[in-house]
Each structure stands twice: as C-alpha cells, then as structure tokens.
Amino acid sequence: MADAAVIEKLEAGFKKLEAATDCKSLLKKYLTKEVFDKLKDKKTSLGATLLDVIQSGVENLDSGVGIYAPDAEAYTLFAPLFDPIIEDYHVGFKQTDKHPNKDFGDVNSFVNVDPEGKFVISTRVRCGRSMQGYPFNPCLTESQYKEMEAKVSSTLSSLEGELKGTYYPLTGMSKEVQQKLIDDHFLFKEGDRFLQAANACRYWPAGRGIYHNDNKTFLVWVNEEDHLRIISMQMGGDLGQVFRRLTSAVNEIEKRIPFSHHDRLGFLTFCPTNLGTTVRASVHIKLPKLAANREKLEEVAGKYNLQVRGTRGEHTEAEGGIYDISNKRRMGLTEFQAVKEMQDGILELIKIEKEM
Ligand code: ADP
Ligand code: DAR
C-alpha cells in the first residue's frame, strides 16, 4: 500500500495532468480517473508505486509517452495503464497479443542498403537487456549499480575474436574523452530531463560505463537507461554485417547472463517503447531532396513504420542534413522482421530520393 505522502504527490500530479490541455502524452491519454483510482494505492514487492511510473511524464508534459517501469513487476501490477499505452505505441500489438519468441532469422538475408555509398554514412543496430534479479533505475541502490557493473564488465572480458574489447567506467573518465565518445556517437549522453525526472540518473556516474572493441564496431552501454544496451555499428550501409555482429554478441552474452523476459511482453526494458525485441536498427543518412522538409520526411518515413531522429539521437535536431532513421516497431514481430522492416523502408526512401 502506497503511503500518504506518495498518494498526496500522485493526487497533485493527476490534477496537473488534467489541467494540461496541450499535453499530448500517452500518459495523459490513458491515465483516466478510473485507472488512477484503481492504481494509486498499489505498491510492488520492491516498493515501487504509481508515482515511480508516472513522475517523468508529470514533470515533462511534452513527453511522448511519459511512463517508465520501476521494476519488472510494474508491467503486471500497473497493467491497466501500461497495456493500453503499449498497444498504442507499438502499433498493432493488441492487449491480447503475445510477443513472439526471439528469432534473428536468416542473418545472411540482409544487404548493404547503399552499396554506392551515396546516402548512408553509418549503420547501427542495438538491443536492450535487463539483468534478472535487479529492478530498474528508480529502485536501484548505488551498491546495486556497482554490483551490476562488476558482473557485466567481468562477463564481457571473456569475449573473444571481433567482440574482444575493454570496459571503460564513466567514473574516472575525463570529460574530454567522454565528450569525444559522445560526439562520435559511441557513448550515451548524460541523462536527459526525462530520465532525470524518472529517477534514472541517481548516483551518476557510479556503475555506468561503456565496453567496446578496438574498432568501436561492437559496444555495450552499462546502466544508462537500461541495464545493458548491446550495440553493433560501422561506417557505410552494410546492414547485414552489422546485424550479424549484433546477433553473435547477443548470443554470446546471453550464455553468460540471465535476462528478464516476460511471457507476453518479450524482453523487459525500463521504457515500454523498447519492450519485446528491444531492437532499434538505424542509419545515419543524408536525403537532401526528401529531407528538404522534415515534416514531409517524417510523413514518408511513417508509411514504412520508420522513425526519424536528429543526428545525435532522440530529442535532437539534424546537423549537416544527417538524420537517424530507424524502425519504430519493436513488439509483435521478431527481431528479423523488425530489422527487415527497417531495411525495406530505407531502401524505399533511397529509391524515392533518387526519383525526385
Ligand atoms: P538509442 O536509444 O538506440 O541508444 P539514441 O537516440 O539515444 O538511440 O542514440 C544513441 C546514440 O547513437 C546517438 O549518439 C546517436 O547519434 C547514435 N546513433 C544512432 N544511430 C546511429 C547510426 N546509424 N550511426 C551512428 N550513430 C548512430
Ligand atoms: N522521453 C520519453 C521517452 C520516450 C522513449 N525514449 C526512450 N525510452 N529513450 C517520452 O515519454 O517522450
């Protein structure tokens, strides 16, 4: 049972959402009075409440989604709020649907989306994983962050071949090295206001860091937004090579660390937008004609279930005409289908650009 102080904050937050007439978040859309009253008293076995779920979206009324899961149980205990939001965001994944089992498919069936090198600067495929037995950010203690970092860095140190690399903790990393890694798109930015408000950046930089091989084509983020973000990336448009590297890495890491998996929702992540396959396959691409108007670009990309981000990722603008374009759907389809949807969409965008 949530305590009186939490319920008082929840009541104030609900009133703020109700009054925010220009708020377009999925939180505002689906946190009806009925759902609010049903959930406001509840508490997970780890002590997480509805306040942990909605505080970011209450603080940031310009959120697109506005909720995060403080622990795995939250997806079940607060399902009356999570399920309709998941169905709305992951177009087509109904509340009665079950996410399919992991399936990377025939990894040799992917191509270089831009063999002439005219449009695509670089290609990246990432997935998220949550370590079994640990809650998500709002419920983690500083010692848990450090414990997870130690477990992951020692596990990764056993990787061989192309995946062999080194773990670099953020603690002790110079600001110059950190900024260079961020500017080169290898390292995560420090927590944005959405993550700050979700209590995802406490004890920063304790327990946070990055593992990468010498070529920086295989990287693992530790305790940014998710426990792990497993990343494969390289210059050019060879999506096949990038995806084959990612699947090898995920298979190797999954032999060593058990991850949180939900029977209906697939692999669990802090944010519901990343559930299921957790895969985001993206290109940094220049489409000067199509992107002359960003709204037009987003409209055309949307037809292929693609999402357009700025050069530095989410909530950023394009620099030098470079856009980050990726699959939007991550649930209700396999890893193979999600990446295939991205490949097909990018090939279509390049075709349209060539015909303009
Ligand atoms: P994610 O949720 O996948 O981590 P973000 O939007 O937070 O995505 O971006 C993380 C970083 O990855 C940013 O620096 C972004 O520029 C970089 N990035 C995304 N796609 C590509 C790509 N195809 N090539 C190079 N960098 C990329
Ligand atoms: N900014 C939050 C999160 C949206 C999805 N992006 C993540 N998880 N990085 C929002 O509700 O808009």
Side-chain angles (χ1 to χ4, degrees), residues 316-339:
T316 70
E317 295 304 315
E319 297 166 14
I322 298 173
Y323 287 91
D324 161 343
I325 303 183
S326 60
N327 59 296
K328 182 182 177 194
R329 294 201 313 155
R330 308 196 215 296
M331 289 188 83
L333 73 180
T334 65
E335 286 77 3
F336 176 84
Q337 291 168 330
V339 178

Side-chain angles (χ1 to χ4, degrees), residues 6-46:
V6 166
I7 291 176
E8 190 180 340
K9 284 178 184 170
L10 277 168
E11 295 287 1
F14 186 72
K15 283 192 176 61
K16 180 180 175 187
L17 278 171
E18 272 194 315
T21 50
D22 59 347
C23 173
K24 297 181 180 59
S25 69
L26 295 181
L27 167 63
K28 174 156 171 84
K29 184 175 176 182
Y30 292 104
L31 186 64
T32 62
K33 186 75 172 70
E34 182 194 357
V35 168
F36 178 73
D37 288 338
K38 191 174 183 182
L39 300 178
K40 66 184 179 184
D41 300 324
K42 293 188 182 294
K43 188 189 273 191
T44 69
S45 54
L46 286 175

Side-chain angles (χ1 to χ4, degrees), residues 278-320:
T278 78
V279 166
R280 189 169 92 85
S282 60
V283 287
H284 268 185
I285 188 169
K286 282 189 172 182
L287 297 166
K289 295 174 188 157
L290 195 52
N293 175 324
R294 176 152 179 175
E295 275 179 29
K296 172 77 178 161
L297 173 63
E298 293 188 341
E299 182 198 331
V300 175
K303 285 185 187 141
Y304 301 103
N305 289 324
L306 296 178
Q307 183 185 44
V308 178
R309 300 184 181 190
T311 311
R312 292 174 180 265
E314 190 177 31
H315 303 130
T316 70
E317 295 304 315
E319 297 166 14

Side-chain angles (χ1 to χ4, degrees), residues 122-124 126 182 185 189 221 229 233 280 282-284 309 311-314 324:
S122 51
T123 301
R124 174 182 187 263
R126 67 84 163 153
I182 293 169
H185 307 293
K189 305 185 281 287
W221 292 354
R229 284 287 175 84
M233 61 193 290
R280 189 169 92 85
S282 60
V283 287
H284 268 185
R309 300 184 181 190
T311 311
R312 292 174 180 265
E314 190 177 31
D324 161 343

Side-chain angles (χ1 to χ4, degrees), residues 122-282:
S122 51
T123 301
R124 174 182 187 263
V125 183
R126 67 84 163 153
C127 68
R129 288 291 185 271
S130 301
M131 295 169 72
Q132 265 180 21
Y134 291 92
F136 301 152
N137 291 301
C139 299
L140 281 171
T141 63
E142 184 171 8
S143 57
Q144 281 176 315
Y145 274 112
K146 290 177 178 174
E147 189 181 290
M148 294 161 77
E149 179 187 44
K151 280 183 183 174
V152 172
S153 55
S154 71
T155 297
L156 296 174
S157 65
S158 64
L159 295 176
E160 297 173 344
E162 186 186 20
L163 304 181
K164 185 172 179 54
T166 307
Y167 177 73
Y168 304 90
L170 239 54
T171 303
M173 186 185 285
S174 73
K175 284 296 178 199
E176 294 72 24
V177 168
Q178 189 178 342
Q179 193 56 51
K180 179 77 170 59
L181 284 168
I182 293 169
D183 291 345
D184 291 346
H185 307 293
F186 297 123
L187 180 62
F188 45 83
K189 305 185 281 287
E190 301 235 354
D192 61 26
R193 58 191 164 93
F194 302 97
L195 291 173
Q196 294 280 357
N199 270 339
C201 307
R202 292 173 305 141
Y203 319 116
W204 195 279
R208 279 77 172 196
I210 181 171
Y211 170 97
H212 64 73
N213 62 8
D214 290 345
N215 294 335
K216 298 194 187 81
T217 54
F218 169 59
L219 311 96
V220 179
W221 292 354
V222 178
N223 285 327
E224 183 237 3
E225 174 176 329
D226 284 312
H227 296 167
L228 278 79
R229 284 287 175 84
I230 304 168
I231 302 162
S232 171
M233 61 193 290
Q234 65 190 51
M235 301 309 284
D238 193 341
L239 177 60
Q241 192 171 36
V242 172
F243 190 53
R244 284 189 291 277
R245 183 185 303 118
L246 180 86
T247 56
S248 307
V250 171
N251 289 334
E252 279 306 308
I253 296 171
E254 283 185 347
K255 284 177 192 169
R256 298 161 167 86
I257 303 176
F259 292 117
S260 295
H261 188 272
H262 187 282
D263 186 48
R264 188 176 88 79
L265 301 174
F267 287 103
L268 294 182
T269 53
F270 181 44
C271 178
T273 64
N274 285 314
L275 289 165
T277 64
T278 78
V279 166
R280 189 169 92 85
S282 60

